[in-house]
């Protein structure tokens, strides 16, 4: 973590975490790793006091829309951020650059070439940049910042809503609340292969 800086009423701390490219690797310690970037926001009025366990339980992770976009860059204590602090009662907000975006390890032609020589290997690498991997990154970040037992809330916007529902499916015991603003995935049986066709037929007869 970098030292906190103060900007327009906010205390801003940047965090960088090394995470496995493929969370399913049997030996994640020796597997290829990428860098994950997150920015922590805290009102200046509360940043001088040490965080108690009650404060830590009021941490919110914001998952932005996309996919493929870095998280918003907040420069003042205003707008949505101020509302979350003032009305949501949160003491800290975490803005995550999802893997492949922003200051996290990029997903680009150059990075793919470094991760795989053949087209098939590069396509396999791309599969590690989906919502399931993003959420496993977020869970490692939660443990790194808050510890194993402390829950946090998640706010998912658009594609971030898909990620938030994935988080709820994978790690429900890590979450105190989940808020969605759009991006609600369909809930259909696994064996249903024609669900998308049924939706399209209903909307566009």
């Amino acid at each position: 973590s970098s030292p906190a800086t103060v900007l327009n009423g906010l205390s801003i701390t940047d965090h960088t975490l090394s995470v496995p490219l493929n969370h399913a690797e049997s030996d994640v310690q020796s597997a290829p790793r990428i860098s994950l970037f997150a920015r922590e926001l805290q009102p200046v009025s509360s940043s001088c006091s040490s965080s108690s366990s009650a404060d830590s339980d009021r941490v919110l992770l914001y998952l932005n829309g996309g996919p493929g976009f870095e998280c918003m860059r907040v420069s003042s204590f205003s707008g949505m951020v101020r509302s979350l602090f003032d009305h949501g009662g949160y003491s800290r907000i975490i803005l995550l650059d999802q893997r492949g975006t922003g200051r996290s390890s990029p997903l680009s032609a150059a990075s793919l070439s470094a991760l795989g020589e053949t087209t098939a290997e590069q396509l396999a690498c791309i599969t590690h940049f989906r919502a399931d991997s993003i959420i496993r990154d977020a869970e490692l970040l939660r443990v790194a910042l808050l510890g194993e037992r402390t829950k946090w809330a998640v706010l998912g916007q658009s594609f971030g809503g898909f990620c938030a529902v994935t988080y709820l499916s994978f790690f429900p015991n890590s979450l105190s609340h989940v808020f969605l603003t759009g991006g609600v995935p369909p809930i259909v049986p696994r064996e249903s292969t024609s669900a998308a066709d049924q939706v399209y037929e209903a909307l566009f007869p």
Side-chain angles (χ1 to χ4, degrees):
S1 300
S2 67
T5 60
V6 175
L7 179 65
N8 298 326
L10 283 176
S11 174
I12 301 173
T13 305
D14 291 344
H15 302 282
T16 303
L17 185 68
S18 174
V19 297
L21 171 67
N22 180 5
H23 287 277
E25 287 277 2
S26 56
D27 185 4
V28 294
Q29 297 304 319
S30 61
R33 302 184 73 82
I34 59 176
S35 177
L36 190 71
F37 173 80
R39 176 160 288 172
E40 178 179 330
L41 308 178
Q42 192 174 4
V44 170
S45 58
S46 63
S47 62
C48 296
S49 60
S50 60
S51 296
S52 66
S53 59
D55 287 335
S56 297
D57 197 39
R58 299 301 296 167
V59 177
L60 181 134
L61 170 68
Y62 176 70
L63 296 172
N64 61 286
F69 301 131
E70 66 182 23
C71 200
M72 60 183 177
R73 300 298 189 240
V74 176
S75 59
S76 65
F77 184 54
S78 61
M80 181 186 79
V81 168
R82 180 161 193 160
S83 294
L84 288 170
F85 283 128
D86 288 350
H87 305 298
Y90 292 98
S91 56
R92 296 153 67 191
I93 295 173
I94 310 298
L95 307 177
L96 173 64
D97 276 354
Q98 298 161 12
R99 57 169 52 201
T101 71
R103 289 173 60 181
S104 293
S105 292
L107 179 61
S108 63
S111 65
L112 282 175
S113 297
L115 293 170
E117 295 182 358
T118 68
T119 301
E121 290 173 340
Q122 293 173 10
L123 287 173
C125 287
I126 292 175
T127 66
H128 303 315
F129 288 81
R130 302 177 304 196
D132 53 342
S133 296
I134 291 170
I135 290 314
R136 288 186 170 92
D137 290 344
E139 182 62 4
L140 291 177
L141 181 65
R142 180 191 66 84
V143 172
L145 296 182
L146 306 180
E148 289 277 359
R149 297 186 178 182
T150 302
K151 300 181 179 182
W152 61 5
V154 171
L155 169 60
Q157 186 265 326
S158 191
F159 173 71
F162 283 73
C163 293
V165 173
T166 303
Y167 206 155
L168 189 59
S169 300
F170 286 13
F171 305 104
N173 294 328
S174 299
L175 305 173
S176 58
H177 301 83
V178 176
F179 305 99
L180 306 176
T181 59
V184 180
I187 301 175
V188 296
R190 284 182 177 270
E191 61 274 11
S192 177
T193 58
S194 61
D197 291 336
Q198 294 173 8
V199 171
Y200 293 139
E201 290 172 0
L203 294 175
F204 305 101

